[in-house]
Amino acid sequence: MRTPVTPFPLSRRLSEVRGSAIRDLLTLTARADVLSLAGGLPAADQLPRERIAEAAARALTDSASVQYSETAGVAGLRAVIADHETGRIGRPVAPTDVVVTSGSQQALDLVARAVLDPGDPVAVEDPVYVGALQVFQASGAQVHALPLDDDGLRVDVLAERLAQGFRPRLVHTVASFHNPRGVTMAPGRRRALAELADRYGFLVVEDDPYGLLAFDGVPPQPIAAHGERIVRLGSASKVIAPALRVGWLVGPPELTAAVERLKQCTDLCSSSLTQAITAELLSDTAWFDGHVGGVRAENRRRAHALTTAVDTRFGDAVVRSTPTGGMFVWLEFADGTDTTALLPKALGQGVGFVPGSAFEAGDTARTSAARLCFATYPGDLLEIAVDRLATAWRA
């Protein structure tokens, strides 16, 4: 007779981490018969595979591209990112202000580990970017939800709570083309948030993977342009290719030094090969600007196709966001449809989405909401996907 196996003990902290419904959905929506509007996946036909292959071939002529690199990142890439961020922020950024990470999700995790102790309060947007919620839960932080409206984070609500004694260690925001709501923080709120950070001494984590994807070609001015207590997170995933797994953070020197030390514990360094590829593509400004311009134009067309299809099939039955960039449309069903219950019916019709409940950070229920990604498919397939969703809803 086999001796019963004692369950392997796991940390108490792990029990606080909510699983990602989006990652779980990717397994279900990987079926060939399903059009998935669930993941934030760039369009496969927009990924510059030939240009990446050319850069990879050149990188492989240098033995350094297959060797370990500095923990903070390959010097050439840090210099390119510093130039890129200097142009975005409007003040000088030095290469020493940059730490390259394995995607911006690792950057967020390292910042949380550098700044937070268990029990520390953090403020997030509600609805929240799921990856941020998982990181802060894993850190043992107390998560406090702040509302959003069409102009982004309600900074006035944060100001009221600060005046009443709330003292967060950090405030996390996806200020430009928010995931999942798609809204963008107004310029006045950006200035006010930076001023509050200076006054009350908290850190603002400006998570900015979508800023360059403004449909009008004018990225919103970063919050970091207005203050010093801001760390910016960036990524090549949405503007070049996710598989490169190249992200970065730009922040105060005390923070970047702490993050570098923690990254040594995590993975020693990011891939030298993909850093070399990314450095070439980002530094080729003529190519990069043309490539991103093409992605923006195609995303604008796809967003229009999706929203037009939603308006045609659902009419007044839903209230939706109007994207001006990024990758997402947010729907709310006026009849109170439970989108979690709708999802299996939608999968049965061959379409996937993310129920709004996956993004809940506070007490506000999102049971009748859904996030749809318009970037993955061309317009004709988006229309078919919305048709399938409408069929499931009517059923």
Side-chain angles (χ1 to χ4, degrees):
M1 178 180 295
R2 294 182 61 187
T3 303
V5 177
T6 303
F8 191 83
L10 299 175
S11 71
R12 289 190 298 272
R13 188 175 296 179
L14 182 64
S15 66
E16 301 298 322
V17 180
R18 180 195 302 177
S20 171
I22 300 169
R23 299 274 77 80
D24 297 341
L25 266 173
L26 290 179
T27 302
L28 294 173
T29 57
R31 295 178 358 218
D33 61 322
V34 172
L35 293 173
S36 176
L37 308 180
L41 274 61
D45 60 343
Q46 297 291 303
L47 301 178
R49 289 174 292 177
E50 292 182 2
R51 185 68 179 84
I52 291 171
E54 294 170 3
R58 274 187 286 274
L60 287 169
T61 64
D62 183 355
S63 61
S65 68
V66 289
Q67 186 54 277
Y68 289 112
S69 67
E70 297 176 65
T71 299
V74 171
L77 177 57
R78 294 172 76 193
V80 171
I81 292 170
D83 287 344
H84 171 81
E85 288 292 306
T86 294
R88 290 291 312 279
I89 298 172
R91 58 175 170 77
V93 174
T96 52
D97 298 329
V98 178
V99 177
V100 178
T101 57
S102 299
S104 63
Q105 183 69 18
Q106 186 189 53
L108 179 58
D109 179 64
L110 292 172
V111 168
R113 288 166 57 193
V115 172
L116 298 174
D117 291 315
D120 281 345
V122 301
V124 302
E125 295 158 323
D126 188 13
V128 66
Y129 163 54
V130 173
L133 185 62
Q134 289 182 304
V135 163
F136 298 139
Q137 288 172 336
S139 72
Q142 294 181 0
V143 177
H144 297 257
L146 297 171
L148 289 168
D149 62 17
D150 289 344
D151 287 323
L153 176 67
R154 288 284 305 277
V155 178
D156 59 324
V157 173
L158 173 62
E160 290 175 3
R161 295 187 184 177
L162 291 167
Q164 295 165 1
F166 177 47
R167 293 294 181 269
R169 290 297 298 274
L170 66 80
V171 174
H172 176 270
T173 176
V174 184
S176 299
F177 316 118
H178 185 265
N179 178 7
R181 278 278 278 108
V183 298
T184 294
M185 190 187 297
R189 294 189 184 184
R190 293 171 184 246
R191 289 190 296 272
L193 180 57
E195 291 168 0
L196 290 172
D198 288 339
R199 187 186 314 166
Y200 290 98
F202 59 83
L203 180 73
V204 175
V205 179
E206 183 179 12
D207 206 341
D208 190 22
Y210 310 107
L212 293 180
L213 298 180
F215 291 164
D216 63 3
V218 182
Q221 187 179 42
I223 301 169
H226 304 293
E228 301 294 330
R229 300 187 66 87
I230 293 98
V231 56
R232 277 179 50 76
L233 311 185
S235 174
S237 293
K238 303 302 190 289
V239 293
I240 300 179
L244 293 174
R245 305 313 304 136
V246 171
W248 57 85
L249 64 88
V250 176
E254 302 88 349
L255 179 62
T256 55
V259 163
E260 182 178 355
R261 192 159 70 248
L262 287 169
K263 185 171 168 59
Q264 291 172 1
C265 308
T266 301
D267 62 1
L268 299 181
C269 64
S270 297
S271 165
S272 301
L273 178 59
T274 60
Q275 287 186 73
I277 294 168
T278 304
E280 176 178 323
L281 299 186
L282 285 178
S283 63
D284 186 351
T285 53
W287 173 84
F288 181 71
D289 291 346
H291 167 69
V292 173
V295 173
R296 281 195 299 254
E298 183 58 27
N299 280 0
R300 182 172 60 245
R301 287 189 286 269
R302 294 181 181 197
H304 177 73
L306 179 65
T307 55
T308 299
V310 167
D311 292 344
T312 301
R313 276 65 168 187
F314 290 95
D316 295 338
V318 300
V319 177
R320 62 160 177 82
S321 62
T322 300
T324 57
M327 303 176 71
F328 304 112
V329 171
W330 182 256
L331 301 183
E332 295 184 2
F333 284 84
D335 65 356
T337 292
D338 184 333
T339 51
T340 299
L342 176 62
L343 178 59
K345 299 176 183 177
L347 289 171
Q349 293 293 331
V351 62
F353 63 89
V354 185
S357 58
F359 306 101
E360 293 173 357
D363 297 331
T364 302
R366 309 284 175 184
T367 54
S368 59
R371 190 196 74 177
L372 311 182
C373 176
F374 55 75
T376 310
Y377 299 115
D380 57 339
L381 291 182
L382 290 171
E383 292 176 6
I384 293 171
V386 174
D387 275 339
R388 293 177 179 181
L389 180 61
T391 299
W393 173 67
R394 291 192 176 93

